[in-house]
């Protein structure tokens, strides 16, 4: 079955890391997020995918010149301008001549969803489109999807206020579409699947949704990105449990870690240097990052080739951009973003 994978967003919430690396090329325990997504797709029988590209498309094309990602054959669809989610799906599906039932996946969703089960549900209900749903504690950040008992979507409510959420089931970012959905999307300009197409389908009574309780994480925020790394190391996302992790951490063999350093639930990617008496907890060092002596880093992401000066203390949630130098003795906490374009 063919699929369209959306990876063209600018990744505002992951700035400054996304200024030079598209969100789905950021690594989860050393492996680009997009490969983790494709691993899961391959496990569930997806053989062909169209990558819907917009922002920094060359970073994907150069990384996978053979057009194969985790065993899945990939066609690249580069949008001439940002088309938003529905516009991107239409552009990519038309480019790949998709004319039968197909899958759509948000490229920053890490999930173990059984896609065959979703397709069966879609066919059993003779739906035009079917959304996978996931239960969350606070649905107000997501598209909330109330349904009838047999799964027909009553409404599609994007990011409702906390006290007005009709259900805790949210749009999990994996869909099954009939090609007729494409004809509902305007051929030019920005069209949002969440704000435009789903409400229209819900009103037509042809949109269904299936709740599912498999592993699911929207890795598009720094906090969720850190969680995804920890979950991978601890093997919560079953098939991707990382071999060679110890004490909930993963250290690439090319990196140097002083024996006096304490590393807990953290990722030290390739070519990093961690000096004496460093404490690293629930954090990710991206390739080439350097942490000088006596530094404590907790719940933070240190970007490629960034340097954290000696005696500094970084606490939840610092995101340090590529090549940034943090002054020795710095004290940083809160929603801190360091580094510009
Ligand atoms: P934020 O800016 O942090 O919200 O991230 P984002 O740009 O990725 O947006 P969001 O997470 O809402 O997007 C959901 C999915 O759609 C992601 O996989 C994006 O890469 C993708 N996406 C969003 N807008 C576009 C677009 O205009 N074109 C394409 N091809 N994909 C898009």
């Amino acid at each position: 079955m063919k699929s369209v994978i959306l990876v063209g967003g600018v990744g505002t919430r992951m700035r400054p890391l996304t200024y030079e690396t598209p969100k789905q090329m950021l690594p989860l325990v050393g492996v680009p997020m997009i490969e983790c997504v494709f691993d899961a797709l391959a496990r569930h029988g997806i053989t062909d995918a169209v990558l819907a590209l917009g922002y920094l498309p060359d970073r994907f094309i150069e990384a996978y010149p053979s057009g194969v990602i985790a065993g899945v054959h990939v066609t690249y669809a580069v949008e001439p301008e940002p088309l938003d989610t529905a516009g991107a799906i239409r552009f990519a599906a038309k480019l790949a001549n998709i004319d039968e039932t197909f899958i759509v996946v948000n490229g920053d969703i890490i999930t173990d969803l059984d896609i065959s089960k979703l397709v069966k549900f879609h066919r059993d209900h003779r739906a035009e489109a079917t959304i996978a749903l996931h239960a969350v504690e606070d649905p107000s950040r997501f598209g909330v999807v109330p349904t009838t008992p047999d799964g027909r979507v009553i409404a599609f409510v994007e990011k409702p206020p906390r006290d007005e959420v009709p259900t805790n089931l949210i749009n999990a970012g994996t869909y099954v579409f009939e090609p007729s959905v494409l004809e509902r999307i305007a051929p030019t300009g920005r069209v949002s699947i969440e704000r435009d197409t789903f409400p229209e389908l819900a009103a037509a009574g042809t949109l269904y949704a299936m709740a599912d309780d498999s592993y699911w994480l929207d890795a598009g925020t720094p906090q969720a990105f850190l969680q995804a790394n920890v979950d991978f190391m601890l093997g919560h996302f079953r098939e991707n449990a990382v071999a060679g992790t110890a004490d909930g951490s993963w250290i690439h063999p090319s990196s140097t870690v002083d024996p006096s350093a304490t590393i807990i639930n953290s990722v030290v990617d390739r070519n990093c240097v961690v000096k004496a008496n460093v404490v690293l907890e629930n954090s990710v060092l991206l390739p080439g990052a350097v942490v000088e002596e006596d530094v404590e880093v907790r719940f933070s992401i240190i970007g490629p080739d960034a340097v954290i000066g000696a005696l500094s203390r970084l606490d939840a949630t610092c995101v340090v951009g590529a090549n940034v130098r943090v002054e020795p003795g710095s004290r940083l906490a809160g929603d801190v973003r360091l580094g510009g374009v």
Side-chain angles (χ1 to χ4, degrees):
M1 185 170 269
K2 288 189 177 170
S3 60
V4 172
I5 319 297
L6 292 168
V7 293
V10 295
T12 322
R13 291 165 298 162
M14 287 297 286
R15 282 178 181 165
L17 298 171
T18 43
Y19 282 129
E20 54 175 50
T21 304
K23 182 166 54 180
Q24 289 88 357
M25 287 302 292
L26 292 172
L28 294 176
V29 197
V31 177
M33 194 187 292
I34 189 72
E35 285 186 43
C36 304
V37 171
F38 271 75
D39 262 348
L41 294 175
R43 273 204 306 284
H44 291 295
I46 300 292
T47 52
D48 290 277
V50 193
L51 215 49
L53 300 165
Y55 180 63
L56 302 177
D58 293 345
R59 297 297 302 272
F60 293 92
I61 298 166
E62 283 160 12
Y64 305 103
S66 63
V68 177
I69 305 179
V72 177
H73 291 275
V74 178
T75 309
Y76 296 113
V78 183
E79 290 148 37
E81 57 184 337
L83 296 173
D84 208 340
T85 42
I89 294 166
R90 183 190 153 99
F91 179 83
K94 294 276 177 190
L95 187 116
N97 296 318
I98 292 181
D99 58 3
E100 53 191 29
T101 311
F102 64 105
I103 308 292
V104 176
V105 175
N106 274 0
D108 45 5
I109 301 296
I110 311 296
T111 180
D112 220 359
L113 171 75
D114 183 345
I115 291 175
S116 318
K117 208 168 103 190
L118 189 69
V119 172
K120 182 170 184 319
F121 179 99
H122 173 84
R123 293 205 161 122
D124 287 350
H125 288 79
R126 299 181 183 283
E128 185 175 4
T130 299
I131 306 173
L133 302 180
H134 182 80
V136 295
E137 226 162 77
D138 176 14
S140 61
R141 290 195 296 122
F142 300 97
V144 178
V145 190
T147 65
T148 60
D150 79 328
R152 190 170 50 77
V153 173
I154 299 166
F156 192 94
V157 194
E158 187 66 7
K159 301 188 178 72
R162 243 177 209 253
D163 51 354
E164 285 175 28
V165 287
T167 163
N168 68 338
L169 290 170
I170 58 133
N171 168 17
T174 303
Y175 321 126
V176 185
F177 281 0
E178 291 306 311
S180 60
V181 173
L182 301 174
E183 305 317 318
R184 294 180 180 272
I185 302 169
T188 52
R190 294 177 67 92
V191 188
S192 159
I193 203 77
E194 297 89 354
R195 283 183 301 278
D196 302 318
T197 317
F198 284 154
E200 183 186 325
L201 284 162
T206 58
L207 180 63
Y208 283 73
M210 185 193 86
D212 183 84
D213 58 7
S214 12
Y215 178 91
W216 183 89
L217 189 73
D218 172 355
T221 64
Q223 292 81 0
F225 179 79
L226 288 168
Q227 186 66 49
N229 277 274
V230 170
D231 287 355
F232 265 48
M233 289 185 293
L234 299 180
H236 290 315
F237 183 50
R238 194 170 31 89
E239 322 286 340
N240 277 51
V242 179
T245 52
D247 304 326
S249 291
W250 179 78
I251 298 167
H252 192 274
S254 64
S255 289
T256 310
V257 176
D258 190 275
S260 64
T262 305
I263 314 247
I264 304 161
N265 287 344
S266 292
V267 168
V268 179
D269 211 318
R270 58 180 200 279
N271 300 324
C272 291
V273 179
V274 178
K275 298 201 177 161
N277 305 317
V278 165
V279 177
L280 203 60
E281 194 179 335
N282 284 77
S283 293
V284 172
L285 302 191
L286 292 173
V290 175
V291 184
E292 302 284 8
E293 291 83 1
D294 303 301
V295 167
E296 295 182 20
V297 179
R298 293 191 171 85
F299 295 92
S300 294
I301 307 168
I302 312 303
D305 300 310
V307 178
I308 311 300
L311 294 159
S312 295
R313 196 165 168 170
L314 277 61
D315 235 304
T317 306
C318 297
V319 183
V320 180
N323 302 304
V324 168
R325 304 185 85 81
V326 172
E327 287 299 309
S330 298
R331 293 280 179 277
L332 302 167
D335 189 15
V336 176
R337 312 289 174 111
L338 295 176
V341 194

